[in-house]
């Protein structure tokens, strides 16, 4: 403990107009946090100020990050401000590293008041990359809209922040550090913890590690290849998959977290995880997976690079859910997917007579259902899957779920997938991302589209492309009424629904640091056994043509084509 009490200061500041948190917190270019005076301090103060002072005093908070550039610097500021704002204890992953799922897990286990996660998820890192700050509440999940709105309102009027500038924390040494602060009766405590262990303990209680160890290192073990993409999940897969479950050390790659993710885009999809995709095409490995920067997203691949669409992935887990011991004990309360996610999960829910919820994009909507005991398994098309043991999507959980299914069924990934399509039908699905487009142009395009589809004459309209005809059955701007608390979320995406279940969806994304991203989603259900094995881009070509004709997205955004196709 330091000999003399540390000074707590209240310093003047001026507000910024652009600190509205999106669905995954506040994300900006790193230089914005570094170069704008008190930009970081303002937002952190607003997080603390959003918590009632009586709840904040003496409370525990969890802090972790994905290891990207500026992570350690920001953590030091957060700790200094936590101490000055009455927080009694801060729990931090060693070296400032802790995956988003692990932060959620630790918040729930130690009953913390919340946590601050430093990540821009799948966005690039480094001095020229992105940085982000996300606040999770006491349930372990992303702050609900009422809280993020409060943070934003505070950020527009902030005049001062509290800080203990002389407080410095050793992030590298596991253990407790105590600090005396002036006018404080109890010392302020910082606890540096192993970022993996508490989370790993939870997974041991969910999955049968003995069965998984036999699958990965027994006499007839499968060959796997996991790419951590130099994100936070590297130490987790090495500890759990290699050291504990016996998979060879060379089965996991890019496991050292780097500030710039090795100069790569830490996004687990076919566009950015190309090294893994090419390696899987060789046929040497039976199962492959990639993870994003903060460890909450995943991509699943089978032998010869067989790609499992994320919408199909959650449907497969749902259809085989009792291969996971956790659900054998808890039962299944409900399934959920985000609105833009394909309806593959709906088919499983219908067949099993399990309640299905369709929510807006954003994991917090799932968390509300989980807290009410209504939801067990959920997923998003953006490579996110998870269950009710925490309140975040969880890439490693999804991989262990898949491995549990492989162990139980003793089939290949592609055989499991094709059996599923034969049983439930197939939802052909694709997403086009138009990134960093002019915000005004994107907003104007969306407004014009909404005006078009809101016209009564639009319903019933028939679109003909080649030999195919599509008749509009419904169209709207998706609105969600939370069945738990009645909260209404409007303007969640434009939907055009055709007879037979095909859908075209347009949505503006809220997770980018510069410009706007327009996302176009195409979903089409097929139950004809003779049409289950087409290339998705071929199967969906007519619907894509209709979407481009309706939106004029290339002309309106100045883009000849999307940045990313999944």
């Amino acid at each position: 403990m330091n000999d003399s009490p540390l000074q707590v200061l209240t310093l003047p500041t001026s507000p910024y107009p652009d600190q509205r948190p999106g669905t995954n917190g506040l994300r900006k270019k790193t230089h914005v946090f570094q170069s704008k005076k008190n930009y970081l301090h303002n937002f952190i103060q607003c997080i603390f100020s959003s918590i009632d002072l009586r709840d904040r005093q003496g409370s525990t908070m969890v802090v972790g990050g994905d290891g990207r550039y500026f992570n350690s610097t920001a953590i030091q500021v957060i700790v200094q401000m936590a101490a000055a704002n009455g927080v009694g204890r801060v729990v931090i992953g060693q070296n400032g590293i802790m995956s988003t799922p692990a932060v959620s897990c630790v918040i729930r286990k130690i009953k913390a008041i919340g946590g601050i996660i430093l990540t821009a998820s799948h966005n690039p890192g480094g001095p020229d990359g992105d940085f982000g700050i996300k606040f999770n509440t006491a349930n372990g999940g992303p702050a609900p809209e009422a809280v993020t709105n409060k943070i934003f309102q505070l950020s527009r009027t902030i005049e001062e922040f509290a800080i203990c500038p002389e407080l410095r924390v050793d992030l590298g040494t596991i253990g407790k550090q105590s600090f005396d602060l002036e006018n404080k009766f109890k010392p302020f405590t910082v606890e540096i913890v192993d970022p993996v262990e508490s989370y790993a303990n939870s997974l041991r209680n969910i999955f049968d590690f003995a069965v998984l160890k036999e699958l990965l290192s027994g006499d007839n073990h499968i060959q796997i290849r996991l790419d951590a993409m130099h994100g936070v999940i590297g130490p987790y897969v090495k500890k759990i998959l290699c050291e504990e479950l016996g998979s060879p050390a060379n089965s996991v790659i890019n496991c050292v977290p780097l500030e710039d993710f090795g100069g790569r885009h830490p996004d687990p999809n076919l566009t950015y995880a190309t090294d893994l995709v090419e390696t899987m095409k060789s046929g040497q490995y039976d199962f492959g997976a990639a993870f994003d920067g903060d460890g909450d997203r995943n991509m699943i691949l089978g032998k010869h690079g067989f790609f499992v669409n994320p919408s199909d992935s959650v449907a497969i887990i749902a259809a085989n859910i009792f291969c996971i011991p956790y659900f054998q004990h808890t039962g299944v309360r409900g399934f959920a997917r985000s609105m833009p996610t394909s309806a593959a999960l709906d088919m499983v829910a219908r067949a099993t007579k399990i309640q299905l919820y369709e929510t807006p994009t954003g994991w917090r909507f799932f968390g509300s259902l989980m807290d009410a005991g209504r939801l067990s398994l959920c997923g998003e098309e953006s490579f996110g899957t998870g269950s009710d043991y925490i309140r975040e999507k969880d890439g490693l959980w999804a991989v262990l779920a898949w491995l549990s299914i492989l162990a139980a069924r003793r089939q290949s990934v592609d055989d499991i997938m094709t059996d599923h399509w034969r049983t439930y039908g197939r939802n052909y699905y694709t997403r086009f991302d138009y990134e960093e487009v002019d915000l005004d142009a994107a907003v104007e395009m969306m407004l014009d589209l909404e005006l078009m589809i809101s016209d009564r004459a639009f319903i019933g309209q028939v679109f003909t492309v080649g030999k195919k005809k599509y008749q509009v059955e419904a169209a709207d701007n998706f609105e969600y009424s939370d069945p738990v608390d009645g909260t209404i979320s409007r303007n969640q995406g434009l939907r055009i629904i055709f007879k037979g279940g095909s859908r075209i969806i347009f949505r503006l994304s809220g997770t980018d640091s510069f410009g706007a991203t327009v996302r176009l989603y195409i979903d089409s259900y097929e139950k004809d056994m003779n049409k289950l094995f087409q290339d998705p881009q071929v199967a969906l070509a007519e619907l894509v043509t209709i979407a481009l004709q309706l939106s004029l997205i290339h002309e309106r955004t100045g883009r000849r084509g999307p940045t990313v196709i999944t």
Side-chain angles (χ1 to χ4, degrees):
M1 189 179 294
N2 295 348
D3 294 334
S4 56
L6 298 174
Q7 192 176 21
V8 176
L9 301 179
T10 301
L11 302 178
T13 191
S14 299
Y16 289 95
D18 62 344
Q19 293 195 329
R20 179 189 289 276
T23 55
N24 286 293
L26 180 70
R27 292 183 187 171
K28 301 289 180 183
K29 289 296 181 184
T30 306
H31 67 77
V32 172
F33 288 96
Q34 288 184 295
S35 62
K36 289 192 174 183
K37 184 179 180 181
N38 297 333
Y39 195 86
L40 170 67
H41 300 71
N42 279 21
F43 191 69
I44 298 302
Q45 182 60 58
C46 293
I47 290 175
F48 289 128
S49 297
S50 73
I51 306 169
D52 189 278
L53 181 61
R54 292 167 296 182
D55 297 327
R56 202 165 69 223
Q57 291 291 344
S59 65
T60 296
M61 288 200 75
V62 180
V63 177
D66 59 16
R68 68 180 56 230
Y69 182 80
F70 197 57
N71 187 71
S72 296
T73 301
I75 287 177
Q76 293 289 350
V77 171
I78 290 168
V79 173
Q80 292 169 353
M81 295 185 68
N85 277 277
V87 174
R89 173 189 176 214
V90 176
V91 175
I92 309 172
Q94 187 179 24
N95 298 316
I97 295 288
M98 192 179 289
S99 75
T100 292
V103 171
S104 180
C105 177
V106 173
I107 289 172
R108 293 172 64 81
K109 279 195 173 184
I110 66 175
K111 294 180 169 39
I113 196 171
I116 296 176
I117 306 173
L118 303 177
T119 179
S121 188
H122 53 293
N123 291 11
D128 298 321
D130 296 349
F131 191 77
I133 304 170
K134 186 169 83 162
F135 177 51
N136 282 27
T137 52
N139 74 340
E145 197 168 9
V147 175
T148 57
N149 285 343
K150 184 176 182 181
I151 291 170
F152 177 55
Q153 292 304 322
L154 289 166
S155 77
R156 299 176 67 182
T157 58
I158 186 172
E159 296 180 347
E160 62 186 24
F161 63 87
I163 191 167
C164 189
E166 296 176 1
L167 195 158
R168 299 293 299 177
V169 176
D170 174 7
L171 295 175
T173 304
I174 289 178
K176 292 183 179 180
Q177 303 167 45
S178 295
F179 304 87
D180 275 336
L181 310 181
E182 63 178 11
N183 301 322
K184 303 286 183 181
F185 295 109
K186 292 183 179 180
F188 171 71
T189 303
V190 174
E191 187 174 350
I192 308 299
V193 300
D194 180 333
V196 178
E197 191 52 37
S198 183
Y199 170 78
N201 275 334
S202 289
L203 295 182
R204 292 183 191 109
N205 291 325
I206 293 169
F207 300 100
D208 189 330
F209 271 32
V211 168
L212 294 177
K213 186 169 186 176
E214 180 65 23
L215 177 74
L216 297 177
S217 57
D219 291 339
N220 297 307
H221 67 274
I222 65 170
Q223 301 288 340
I224 68 170
R225 185 78 160 181
L226 306 182
D227 188 350
M229 301 188 80
H230 288 302
V232 73
I233 207 67
Y236 294 80
V237 295
K238 285 181 71 71
K239 169 71 175 176
I240 296 169
L241 271 298
C242 297
E243 295 177 22
E244 189 150 353
L245 298 180
S247 193
N250 63 2
S251 64
V252 296
I253 59 172
N254 299 323
C255 284
V256 178
L258 298 177
E259 289 189 336
D260 65 348
F261 306 106
R264 301 169 65 189
H265 203 128
D267 198 350
N269 60 36
L270 297 175
T271 300
Y272 295 116
T274 50
D275 288 352
L276 176 67
V277 172
E278 290 305 312
T279 300
M280 292 299 298
K281 285 180 180 178
S282 70
Q284 182 181 352
Y285 299 97
D286 304 295
F287 177 87
F291 307 91
D292 71 336
D294 65 325
D296 62 352
R297 301 182 190 223
N298 72 96
M299 176 177 69
I300 303 297
L301 298 173
K303 202 164 190 171
H304 302 296
F306 183 93
F307 172 64
V308 179
N309 188 287
S311 299
D312 283 337
S313 181
V314 66
I316 286 285
I317 296 172
N320 297 274
I321 198 162
F322 294 114
C323 294
I324 302 169
Y326 174 83
F327 295 111
Q328 296 171 14
H329 296 122
T330 65
V332 180
R333 301 179 181 92
F335 297 140
R337 62 167 175 84
S338 63
M339 181 273 287
T341 301
S342 93
L345 182 61
D346 306 38
M347 306 304 164
V348 179
R350 191 174 303 157
T352 56
K353 295 181 171 57
I354 292 173
Q355 177 70 47
L356 177 97
Y357 300 92
E358 183 181 33
T359 73
T361 296
W363 212 259
R364 64 175 182 263
F365 296 103
F366 296 144
S368 173
L369 295 167
M370 290 175 181
D371 288 346
R374 297 190 182 199
L375 178 59
S376 297
L377 174 72
C378 51
E380 292 185 332
E381 48 72 35
S382 54
F383 296 86
T385 319
S387 82
D388 60 346
Y389 91 102
I390 57 173
R391 297 296 182 267
E392 287 280 7
K393 49 185 173 279
D394 188 347
L396 188 48
W397 180 94
V399 165
L400 294 179
W402 262 94
L403 292 174
S404 298
I405 294 167
L406 292 179
R409 293 187 54 165
R410 283 293 168 181
Q411 289 178 285
S412 66
V413 170
D414 56 328
D415 283 345
I416 290 171
M417 195 72 256
T418 53
D419 280 356
H420 184 89
W421 291 334
R422 289 190 177 101
T423 302
Y424 298 98
R426 179 176 183 180
N427 280 79
Y428 284 102
Y429 185 83
T430 192
R431 185 185 94 189
F432 296 171
D433 290 1
Y434 295 82
E435 296 179 322
E436 297 188 354
V437 302
D438 180 76
L439 178 60
D440 290 339
V443 170
E444 187 177 358
M445 184 196 77
M446 293 292 285
L447 289 172
D448 287 347
L449 266 173
E450 184 172 7
L451 190 63
M452 178 194 302
I453 69 173
S454 299
D455 190 323
R456 288 183 180 179
F458 189 73
I459 306 301
Q461 190 169 335
V462 177
F463 294 89
T464 303
V465 182
K467 296 180 180 180
K468 289 190 176 182
K469 292 185 177 182
Y470 296 89
Q471 184 174 13
V472 178
E473 186 172 68
D476 63 8
N477 191 336
F478 181 61
E479 181 176 296
Y480 176 70
S481 178
D482 192 308
V484 178
D485 61 14
T487 302
I488 296 176
S489 300
R490 297 183 171 89
N491 302 314
Q492 296 299 314
L494 304 179
R495 301 188 298 177
I496 302 169
I497 303 169
F498 299 93
K499 286 187 176 180
S502 294
R503 300 184 301 158
I504 294 173
I505 297 162
F506 296 91
R507 194 174 71 86
L508 277 177
S509 172
T511 60
D512 296 285
S513 62
F514 179 77
T517 293
V518 179
R519 303 198 196 278
L520 166 61
Y521 312 83
I522 310 288
D523 179 20
S524 182
Y525 179 67
E526 182 59 69
K527 59 182 177 181
D528 187 335
M529 290 287 186
N530 297 315
K531 298 179 180 179
L532 295 179
F533 303 102
Q534 303 176 69
D535 181 304
Q537 298 303 325
V538 174
L540 298 170
E542 291 85 1
L543 283 167
V544 172
T545 298
I546 295 169
L548 297 180
Q549 288 175 348
L550 286 172
S551 65
L552 298 175
I553 192 169
H554 293 168
E555 294 84 350
R556 301 291 294 268
T557 64
R559 293 291 174 85
R560 293 185 178 180
T563 315
V564 181
I565 302 175
T566 56

